[in-house]
Amino acid sequence: GAGVSQSPSNKVTEKGKDVELRCDPISGHTALYWYRQSLGQGLEFLIYFQGNSAPDKSGLPSDRFSAERTGGSVSTLTIQRTQQEDSAVYLCASSPSPGTSGGEQYFGPGTRLTVT
Amino acid sequence: GENVEQHPSTLSVQEGDSAVIKCTYSDSASNYFPWYKQELGKRPQLIIDIRSNVGEKKDQRIAVTLNKTAKHFSLHITETQPEDSAVYFCAARGFQKLVFGTGTRLLVSP
């Protein structure tokens, strides 16, 4: 079946502009994560959605970052007033509900954001 | 919340040698421990996972061991090959979000 998809695959924007990144999780997956990965670095957790629960926003680096998940499916990560240090690959991942027999987390291909 | 530590940060081995990457976790309620491999320019891919009801799992040249008492788990790669070169991430999860380690860059030299 279809995996996790993200769009756009690449985004170049000017400093100060707002950007929106989209994630389509695997159908039926209740958990959705956003991560940021700078070149050669690890996975920086940003935000976690689980079903209808309030999202875990503890990883968002500033109030310029926000995310929503509509209808428990598609998610959008918004970065306002982009800065050069926001340049990175933004990865989305989804998984079944924690505690289910499966539980594997699958990553999308990422969006490479470049702020000039 | 959960905290996962991973060592070493880099590991260089000769082709054919074994490689071991170790992780510790803090939340005793964690019961699912996956390992991901990320090749350069690609997304992380699940390579093996283990749940808390078993102590070891093998898949060809890779194996994972889990010690719940000590709260640590390890990835073992035998007969390493150049294509094993990548960054490896461990992770742990209970009934909350999956938490990743900081990654190990493995370099296998021919």
Side-chain angles (χ1 to χ4, degrees):
Chain A
V4 179
S5 61
Q6 292 185 245
S7 59
S9 56
N10 283 282
K11 176 71 176 179
V12 180
T13 190
E14 292 180 350
K15 177 182 173 181
K17 299 286 189 182
D18 298 352
V19 295
E20 286 190 351
L21 312 180
R22 177 186 169 107
C23 173
D24 285 84
I26 293 173
S27 177
H29 280 190
T30 59
L32 188 148
Y33 302 75
W34 283 98
Y35 300 91
R36 179 168 69 176
Q37 189 172 38
S38 300
L39 188 62
Q41 302 300 308
L43 299 166
E44 179 186 1
F45 165 76
L46 298 178
I47 189 168
Y48 165 61
F49 295 91
Q50 172 52 50
N52 295 320
S53 302
D56 177 349
K57 304 179 182 180
S58 61
L60 295 178
S62 77
D63 58 8
R64 296 187 295 106
F65 289 73
S66 62
E68 62 178 24
R69 188 178 185 191
T70 54
S73 180
V74 172
S75 178
T76 302
L77 177 69
T78 301
I79 309 173
Q80 296 178 312
R81 305 181 302 282
T82 52
Q83 304 294 312
Q84 288 185 329
E85 59 263 30
D86 299 335
S87 296
V89 175
Y90 289 81
L91 289 162
C92 174
S94 72
S95 71
S97 178
T100 57
S101 60
E104 295 89 352
Q105 179 169 290
Y106 296 92
F107 283 85
T111 294
R112 182 176 299 278
L113 176 66
T114 303
V115 182
T116 61
Chain B
E2 177 66 274
N3 181 50
V4 177
E5 296 189 356
Q6 183 172 348
H7 300 281
S9 56
T10 59
L11 179 59
S12 294
V13 299
Q14 292 292 121
E15 182 177 2
D17 288 350
S18 294
V20 180
I21 303 171
K22 299 182 178 181
C23 290
T24 61
Y25 62 99
S26 61
D27 187 355
S28 57
S30 287
N31 58 13
Y32 175 64
F33 308 91
W35 287 86
Y36 286 79
K37 176 183 181 182
Q38 187 177 29
E39 297 177 344
L40 190 62
K42 298 187 177 180
R43 76 188 84 180
Q45 299 270 14
L46 178 71
I47 55 170
I48 194 168
D49 57 14
I50 191 169
R51 290 173 172 79
S52 59
N53 57 342
V54 296
E56 185 176 6
K57 183 177 179 180
K58 291 183 179 180
D59 183 3
Q60 299 183 340
R61 296 186 296 109
I62 60 173
V64 57
T65 58
L66 171 65
N67 183 327
K68 286 219 71 179
T69 302
K71 290 190 283 189
H72 66 71
F73 56 113
S74 301
L75 178 71
H76 305 252
I77 306 174
T78 58
E79 302 173 23
T80 53
Q81 301 169 4
E83 52 265 37
D84 295 329
S85 296
V87 178
Y88 292 80
F89 294 97
C90 65
R93 190 195 69 204
F95 288 92
Q96 300 188 40
K97 68 177 184 281
L98 192 66
V99 176
F100 281 90
T102 50
T104 296
R105 185 173 302 277
L106 174 64
L107 176 62
V108 181
S109 302

